[in-house]
């Protein structure tokens, strides 16, 4: 039988991939998890990896060609003893080929033609480089949290598989000083210049095929909460797609001005954007409540609609993300940085836990990942969890310069809990009930042992800003605020472990999305670009929550920005770095704002009804 999915809370089992993608979230409030994690690669696992990811029922994938390439046919996920893909074969595969090889066993009820069609439509000229997700090599000094060495500067993006070349040969300590190689995996070359494009470029096509397969006649309503990037990427994917409506909720004052304008200027007769008076956790909880509301579900069906999700709680978001970690390994092979079977580490700036969970899935499929470094910002609930085994959301919610990480309820962690508990759905449901009730839960020693491949770290705003400044100062390479958190945490990891393993750092957004903070970090501004508790989107500038806009800023000597105006800082960043301003930024400079609605958390369900004309 092909791959099926079950809810982490036990009430739904044996669900096909297309059904899981259509539903988005299980009827019991749980998340869909594959009933087996397919073993896809030969030469991985214990060959350089930590080896503690041993999920039940991880069969070989039938149909994989011994010489590389992708398994063929819907039966590829059956686990019937077929040949594995040699890791060395990844060096010769482009992004589409890797995506097909990785996704094929997870999407068993999609034909090869259907899946290849979705991939071809997703990963096309919407991306500004044929590499789709190129790597950039840097060096981190031993024992320090800075980085130096190779970087992009104003260099042209390399072709598929090429690694960015060194701009400066020196780093702190001088030429020849001890250092560690790391590679930024640039996941921001899509239409909305954030890593969400990697999965949300394909989800609308997967969903459309799923609706056809399951003879769905109702209009599909995509209901999504966003901390900044998912909303725009989802709307860009679903805008004017026949038979769909998309409604996005975002926290007012909880996203950058660029993120807000990307959403509120979105065209499309089927797109709806609503700001809520609350934070991202409030938005996410409100969306989950709407999904769980049986009365709302019945009303929607009566009106010819059904809900689905574009958040990473949808397995159709998570599975495509696995591909880029596999692709990164292939690029390292092609560049001669590693040999087949060598282990790598992965660092991921983490909020909702979906991105790093995708890397965990890649490891479970046989990719030789040693350590999964989970990087948190000031909202360090995940760091505390990995330190103590206690997840406690009862704490201050802090607004930071890395808004997509400002999350206290990491929804995708539920999938890891379920797998770490040996797929014990009752235990997982009890833990989630504890989180909903008293705001915390404790995992068992056995579950913690299963999570030994994760290393939790955090960096506050000053540390992340310092990392951005050092990376640029030493290399001429520009990273955004979320990637700055990852870089700072990786520096701490090196200082503690001196682990010389080649490391991939997920670069999750273009620095132009957070230019005010990036410019200030590069210029060494002592004051935080976004002090905790400030409104990120007010009037196009950083301003106190509920306060008035300070007005447009003007460039100052040296490329700085006087009052923090985001568009002025974009020009300043361009002048500093020479990196071209993305088209996505140019478009919103003059685009009219089309979405103005604001509501309370309690009014979210009514906002859905209003958007759909119910």
């Amino acid at each position: 039988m092909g791959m099926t999915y079950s809810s982490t809370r036990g009430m739904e089992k044996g669900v096909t991939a297309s059904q899981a993608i259509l539903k988005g979230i299980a009827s019991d409030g749980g998340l869909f998890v594959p009933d087996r994690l397919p073993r896809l690669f030969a030469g991985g696992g214990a060959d350089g990896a930590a080896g503690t990811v041993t999920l039940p029922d991880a069969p070989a994938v039938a149909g994989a060609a011994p010489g590389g390439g992708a398994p063929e046919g819907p039966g590829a996920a059956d686990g019937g003893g077929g040949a594995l893909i040699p890791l060395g074969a990844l060096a010769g595969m482009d992004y589409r080929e890797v995506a097909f090889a990785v996704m094929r066993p997870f999407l068993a009820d999609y034909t090869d033609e259907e899946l290849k069609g979705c991939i071809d439509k997703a990963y096309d000229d919407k991306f500004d480089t044929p590499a789709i997700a190129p790597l950039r090599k840097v060096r981190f000094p031993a024992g320090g949290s800075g980085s130096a060495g190779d970087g992009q500067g104003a260099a042209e993006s390399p072709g598929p598989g090429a690694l960015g070349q060194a701009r400066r040969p020196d780093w702190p300590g001088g030429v020849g000083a001890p250092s560690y190689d790391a590679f930024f995996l640039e996941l921001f070359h899509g239409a909305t210049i954030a890593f969400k494009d990697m999965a949300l470029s394909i989800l609308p096509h997967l969903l459309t095929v799923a609706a056809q397969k399951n003879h769905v006649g109702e209009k599909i309503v995509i209901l999504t909460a966003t901390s900044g990037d998912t909303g725009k990427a989802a709307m860009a994917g679903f805008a004017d797609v026949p038979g769909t409506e998309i409604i996005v909720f975002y926290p007012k004052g909880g996203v950058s001005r660029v993120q807000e304008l990307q959403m509120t200027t979105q065209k499309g007769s089927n797109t709806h954007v609503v700001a809520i008076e609350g934070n991202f956790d409030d938005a996410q909880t409100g969306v989950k409540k709407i999904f769980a509301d049986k009365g709302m579900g019945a009303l929607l069906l009566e009106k010819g609609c059904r809900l689905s999700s574009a958040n990473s709680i949808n397995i159709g978001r998570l599975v495509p993300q696995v591909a880029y970690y596999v692709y990164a390994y292939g690029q390292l092979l092609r560049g001669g940085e590693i040999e087949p079977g060598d282990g790598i580490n992965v660092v991921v700036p983490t909020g909702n836990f979906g991105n790093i969970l995708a890397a965990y899935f890649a490891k479970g499929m046989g990719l030789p990942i040693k350590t999964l470094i989970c990087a948190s910002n000031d909202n360090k609930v995940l760091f505390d969890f990995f330190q103590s085994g206690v997840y406690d959301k009862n704490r201050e919610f802090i607004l930071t310069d890395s808004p997509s990480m400002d999350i206290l309820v990491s929804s995708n962690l539920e999938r890891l809990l379920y797998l770490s508990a040996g797929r014990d759905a009752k235990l997982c449901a009890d833990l989630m009930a504890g989180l909903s009730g008293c705001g915390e839960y404790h995992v068992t020693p056995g579950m913690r042992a299963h999570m030994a491949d994760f290393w939790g770290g955090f960096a506050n705003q000053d540390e992340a800003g310092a990392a951005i400044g050092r990376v640029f100062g030493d290399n001429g390479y520009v990273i955004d605020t979320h990637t700055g958190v990852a870089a700072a945490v990786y520096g701490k990891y090196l200082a503690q472990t001196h682990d010389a393993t080649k490391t991939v750092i997920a670069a999750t957004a273009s620095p132009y999305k957070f230019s005010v903070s990036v410019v200030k970090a590069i210029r060494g501004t002592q004051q935080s670009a976004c002090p905790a508790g400030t409104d990120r989107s007010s009037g196009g500038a950083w301003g106190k929550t509920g306060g008035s806009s300070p007005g447009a800023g003007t460039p100052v000597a040296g490329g700085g920005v006087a009052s923090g105006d985001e568009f002025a800082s974009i020009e300043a960043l361009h002048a500093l770095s020479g990196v071209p301003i993305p088209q996505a930024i140019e478009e919103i400079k003059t685009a009219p704002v089309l979405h103005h609605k604001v509501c309370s958390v309690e009014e979210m369900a009514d906002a859905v009804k209003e958007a759909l004309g119910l």
Side-chain angles (χ1 to χ4, degrees):
M1 181 180 178
M3 178 73 74
T4 55
Y5 294 79
S6 295
S7 168
T8 52
R9 304 187 191 181
M11 288 182 62
E12 290 194 67
K13 299 178 180 179
V15 176
T16 67
S18 63
Q19 291 168 342
I21 289 171
L22 271 175
K23 290 176 68 70
I25 189 170
S27 57
D28 57 5
L31 308 184
F32 287 113
V33 174
D35 289 330
R36 301 183 307 279
L37 196 59
R39 186 79 173 184
L40 190 61
F41 305 109
D47 297 338
T52 59
V53 173
T54 52
L55 304 183
D57 298 318
V61 178
E72 295 291 330
D78 291 351
L84 301 173
I85 298 175
L87 283 169
L90 293 174
M93 298 170 69
D94 66 19
Y95 195 86
R96 292 182 185 182
E97 291 168 334
V98 170
F100 182 80
V102 169
M103 296 172 66
R104 171 69 279 170
F106 286 104
L107 304 179
D109 61 333
Y110 286 70
T111 68
D112 284 359
E113 291 72 22
E114 288 168 340
L115 180 54
K116 287 178 179 177
C118 292
I119 290 170
D120 288 345
K121 293 171 185 174
Y123 305 113
D124 56 12
D125 59 8
K126 290 190 295 294
F127 289 80
D128 64 15
T129 169
I132 306 298
L135 284 177
R136 302 292 188 176
K137 184 178 179 180
V138 302
R139 283 184 182 271
F140 277 70
S145 59
S147 71
D150 304 344
Q152 77 180 10
E156 183 178 347
S157 182
L163 302 182
Q165 297 301 305
R167 179 174 176 179
R168 291 180 56 181
D170 57 309
W171 49 84
V175 176
S179 60
Y180 300 111
D181 288 339
F183 303 83
F184 285 102
L185 177 61
E186 295 184 347
L187 301 174
F188 51 77
H189 289 279
T192 73
I193 56 177
F195 84 96
K196 308 298 175 70
D197 289 322
M198 301 300 296
L200 284 168
S201 291
I202 193 170
L203 180 60
H205 305 294
L206 295 175
L207 194 62
T208 299
V209 173
Q212 295 169 349
K213 281 183 170 297
N214 291 274
H215 309 291
V216 172
E218 300 90 1
K219 177 179 290 187
I220 299 171
V221 179
I222 307 298
L223 192 60
T224 293
T226 184
S227 54
D229 291 330
T230 290
K232 170 60 180 179
M235 286 189 292
F238 283 98
D240 291 324
V241 172
T244 68
E245 297 279 339
I246 179 165
I247 305 170
V248 172
F249 291 98
Y250 74 93
K252 183 66 177 174
V255 300
S256 77
R257 182 60 173 164
V258 166
Q259 288 176 311
E260 183 172 52
L261 284 173
Q262 282 189 302
M263 290 186 284
T264 57
T265 60
Q266 175 66 51
K267 298 178 181 178
S269 60
N270 64 336
T271 63
H272 312 273
V273 183
V274 183
I276 69 154
E277 296 164 342
N279 58 43
F280 171 75
D281 287 337
D282 296 325
Q284 184 167 241
T285 299
V287 164
K288 288 182 177 180
K289 285 182 178 178
I290 293 171
F291 270 99
D293 186 337
K294 296 188 184 301
M296 173 69 88
L299 174 63
L300 290 170
L301 285 175
E302 179 185 330
K303 300 297 184 180
C305 300
R306 63 187 298 163
L307 292 177
S308 188
S309 175
N311 281 106
S312 56
I313 57 176
N314 191 321
I315 197 70
R317 268 279 306 275
L318 182 61
V319 168
Q321 291 179 268
V322 179
Y324 48 72
Y325 293 109
V326 177
Y327 182 62
Y329 194 89
Q331 290 185 79
L332 291 172
L333 289 170
R334 188 180 303 138
E337 298 289 346
I338 59 173
E339 297 295 327
D342 286 351
I344 64 171
N345 295 331
V346 172
V347 186
V348 185
T350 306
N352 218 19
F353 207 74
N355 202 357
I356 197 167
L357 186 67
Y360 174 80
F361 274 28
K363 177 180 174 69
M365 295 174 75
L367 197 70
I369 297 175
K370 288 180 61 179
T371 304
L372 296 152
I373 301 170
C374 179
S376 298
N377 65 9
D378 291 273
N379 294 289
K380 58 187 183 72
V381 64
L382 287 168
F383 167 77
D384 291 340
F385 170 70
F386 283 119
Q387 289 288 307
S388 66
V390 178
Y391 194 99
D392 184 0
K393 71 172 184 177
N394 299 309
R395 62 184 70 201
E396 179 187 5
F397 185 98
I398 302 171
L399 292 176
T400 74
D401 293 344
S402 46
S404 295
M405 301 167 68
D406 291 348
I407 295 172
L408 294 181
V409 180
S410 300
S411 291
N412 275 288
L413 188 62
E414 180 172 345
R415 288 184 165 114
L416 180 63
L417 297 176
Y418 174 74
L419 295 170
S420 299
R423 300 179 182 271
D424 186 335
K426 183 181 183 305
L427 174 56
C428 188
D430 289 344
L431 293 175
M432 291 298 99
L435 183 65
S436 178
C438 64
E440 69 175 57
Y441 57 76
H442 300 239
V443 298
T444 67
M447 293 172 70
R448 289 193 70 188
H450 187 96
M451 301 175 192
D453 292 315
F454 289 89
W455 189 93
F458 81 96
N460 62 33
Q461 288 196 145
D462 290 338
E463 291 169 326
I468 293 170
R470 283 192 296 267
V471 168
F472 181 79
D474 296 337
N475 320 298
Y477 183 76
V478 189
I479 57 176
D480 85 293
T481 50
H482 305 77
T483 311
V485 172
V489 168
Y490 179 56
K492 293 182 178 184
Y493 174 81
L494 289 179
Q496 291 188 28
T497 67
H498 301 286
D499 181 2
T501 302
K502 299 289 177 71
T503 297
V504 171
I505 302 174
T508 53
S510 166
Y512 281 108
K513 295 196 79 165
F514 308 96
S515 57
V516 171
S517 302
V518 172
V519 168
K520 288 188 175 182
I522 288 173
R523 286 299 173 197
T525 303
Q526 294 303 309
Q527 182 180 2
S528 172
C530 178
T534 61
D535 184 333
R536 300 189 191 87
S537 57
S538 175
W542 304 120
K544 291 291 183 182
T545 302
S548 60
S549 166
T554 56
V556 297
V561 178
S563 70
D565 174 76
E566 204 137 356
F567 288 115
S569 68
I570 286 168
E571 298 299 333
L573 182 56
H574 175 60
L576 283 166
S577 67
V579 176
I581 298 174
Q583 183 62 32
I585 297 294
E586 297 286 6
E587 289 174 351
I588 64 171
K589 288 182 178 180
T590 57
V593 173
L594 303 175
H595 306 274
H596 302 274
K597 186 170 180 60
V598 180
C599 76
S600 67
V601 174
E602 294 75 20
E603 295 170 328
M604 287 174 64
D606 289 336
V608 171
K609 295 175 185 177
E610 179 182 333
L612 299 176
L614 303 182

